[in-house]
Amino acid sequence: MGAQGGWSRPELSHRAACSPCLTAAKYPAIKDLMRPDPHIKWTVTGLVLLQLLACWLVQGLAWRWLFFWAYAFGGCVNHSLTLAIHDISHNTAFGTGRPAHNRWFAIFANLPVGVPYAASFKKYHVDHHRYLGGDGLDVDIPTRLEGWLFCTPARKLLWLVLQPFFYSLRPLCVNPKAVTRMEVLNTLVQLLVDAAIFALWGIKPVAYLLASSLLGLGLHPISGHFVAEHYMFLKGHETYSYYGPLNWITFNVGYHMEHHDFPSIPGCNLPLVRKIAPEYYDHLPQHHSWVKVLWDFVFEDSLGPYARVKRVCKLAEDRL
């Protein structure tokens, strides 16, 4: 697929190499992994408190150092929290029997991000799994305008910098949905906490949190996972895993093939899926460095926002 090419539109699902049902039937132990993560509540709480401590510490920092630490430290923490929200959106904190607990805990994890995000992410992420690559349904796919405009190395670099804006605004253009009660509550809680931080410590802590999110979700080593997961580095392969050390701070989001096969399994257990059924995963193409992923995305002519699979999906009756 060259720089002037269009999106690929295969007829097959996101991969033909493995059937999740067949894998679970062959390895019953995989079903035992479909249980809540007992540690995510404490990890997320620690990360939220860590960012609140950072808010207190940055009050007296010069602006240049504030932005440095927002990128080097806060960006890692806030990006990690967004991936915790991703995991919690699959009810991995309290289990499927307590969905409200999971949704409110995701709103708690959202607090250091600075802008309301968790409830809207939950609403759209369901479609990402249900209609992977679905034209007009999976809002993870860049628009035609993005594919046309960001097609040179310099423009692709700019696109990576601006990723937080595209990810937040694209759903409103591609597949707008009615605002939910949880989104309103998410917004009210977030604004209240932002106002409290400003009242207690001034503008710099608020700027630190916002900069941590914008920089950490933009051109940042961890952000390589955005591109690594579903961009077609090899023709015929649209989902890839990464098994490197950055999984330690990203709730194992790199185990992405495993995640799409078994989305109800929490990130902490995804390495066990590969360990139990290695013949379904070890032979598949995988990434070894998210930094290299970003480098290749910028400088390879065959890659860009257009290097995604698009397919026409039949709308399911159940839209919950």
Side-chain angles (χ1 to χ4, degrees), residues 147-186:
W148 172 78
L149 185 60
F150 298 98
C151 59
T152 67
R155 293 179 185 181
K156 287 189 283 185
L157 187 67
L158 178 62
W159 185 83
L160 292 174
V161 172
L162 298 176
Q163 272 193 106
F165 297 100
F166 288 116
Y167 270 86
S168 59
L169 298 176
R170 189 187 299 132
L172 303 178
C173 301
V174 174
N175 189 17
K177 298 184 179 185
V179 176
T180 66
R181 177 176 175 269
M182 286 304 299
E183 286 178 293
V184 173
L185 294 172
N186 190 177

Side-chain angles (χ1 to χ4, degrees), residues 14-15 17-24 27 30 33 237 239-243 254-263 265 270-287:
H14 78 285
R15 72 156 166 161
C18 169
S19 166
C21 294
L22 178 62
T23 308
Y27 298 104
I30 287 180
L33 303 178
H237 295 273
T239 304
Y240 303 79
S241 285
Y242 156 82
Y243 302 120
Y255 288 77
H256 216 67
M257 187 68 76
E258 294 84 347
H259 171 62
H260 272 267
D261 282 348
F262 303 101
I265 293 180
L270 289 176
L272 295 176
V273 173
R274 183 188 180 207
K275 185 176 181 180
I276 290 170
E279 69 271 27
Y280 286 94
Y281 301 101
D282 287 353
H283 69 285
L284 296 174
Q286 59 186 253
H287 293 294

Side-chain angles (χ1 to χ4, degrees), residues 3-249:
Q4 302 303 318
W7 280 266
S8 175
R9 293 180 177 270
E11 297 298 327
L12 297 177
S13 61
H14 78 285
R15 72 156 166 161
C18 169
S19 166
C21 294
L22 178 62
T23 308
K26 185 177 180 180
Y27 298 104
I30 287 180
K31 290 186 178 180
D32 295 334
L33 303 178
M34 299 176 186
R35 59 180 184 269
D37 179 349
H39 306 297
I40 194 170
K41 297 183 287 292
W42 312 115
T43 303
V44 166
T45 299
L47 291 174
V48 171
L49 294 177
L50 189 62
Q51 280 295 69
L52 289 178
L53 175 61
C55 284
W56 179 72
L57 292 172
V58 302
Q59 294 176 81
L61 280 185
W63 283 103
R64 64 181 182 276
W65 286 110
L66 183 146
F67 288 116
F68 169 80
W69 286 112
Y71 183 86
F73 176 77
C76 297
V77 176
N78 276 14
H79 200 136
S80 181
L81 283 169
T82 65
L83 294 172
I85 291 169
H86 163 260
D87 222 32
I88 297 165
S89 74
H90 293 282
N91 297 318
T92 59
F94 295 95
T96 56
R98 293 193 284 178
H101 288 70
N102 288 289
R103 293 184 180 184
W104 277 108
F105 190 64
I107 289 174
F108 171 72
N110 191 156
L111 296 180
V113 177
V115 293
Y117 158 81
S120 297
F121 176 81
K122 166 76 174 180
K123 180 171 69 174
Y124 282 102
H125 191 62
V126 170
D127 285 347
H128 172 65
H129 279 269
R130 182 177 289 171
Y131 309 110
L132 180 63
D135 195 1
L137 296 171
D138 182 0
V139 297
D140 189 55
I141 299 176
T143 62
R144 289 186 178 276
L145 178 61
E146 291 172 72
W148 172 78
L149 185 60
F150 298 98
C151 59
T152 67
R155 293 179 185 181
K156 287 189 283 185
L157 187 67
L158 178 62
W159 185 83
L160 292 174
V161 172
L162 298 176
Q163 272 193 106
F165 297 100
F166 288 116
Y167 270 86
S168 59
L169 298 176
R170 189 187 299 132
L172 303 178
C173 301
V174 174
N175 189 17
K177 298 184 179 185
V179 176
T180 66
R181 177 176 175 269
M182 286 304 299
E183 286 178 293
V184 173
L185 294 172
N186 190 177
T187 301
L188 291 175
V189 170
Q190 188 66 57
L191 291 177
L192 181 63
V193 170
D194 289 347
I197 291 173
F198 175 75
L200 287 171
W201 299 317
I203 190 61
K204 283 188 175 181
V206 177
Y208 164 78
L209 293 179
L210 293 174
S212 295
S213 298
L214 293 175
L215 297 175
L217 294 167
L219 187 62
H220 194 281
I222 298 177
S223 293
H225 81 86
F226 287 129
V227 177
E229 290 165 0
H230 297 297
Y231 283 79
M232 207 158 53
F233 283 74
L234 294 175
K235 191 170 183 178
H237 295 273
E238 67 175 299
T239 304
Y240 303 79
S241 285
Y242 156 82
Y243 302 120
L246 287 179
N247 279 301
W248 299 342
I249 59 172

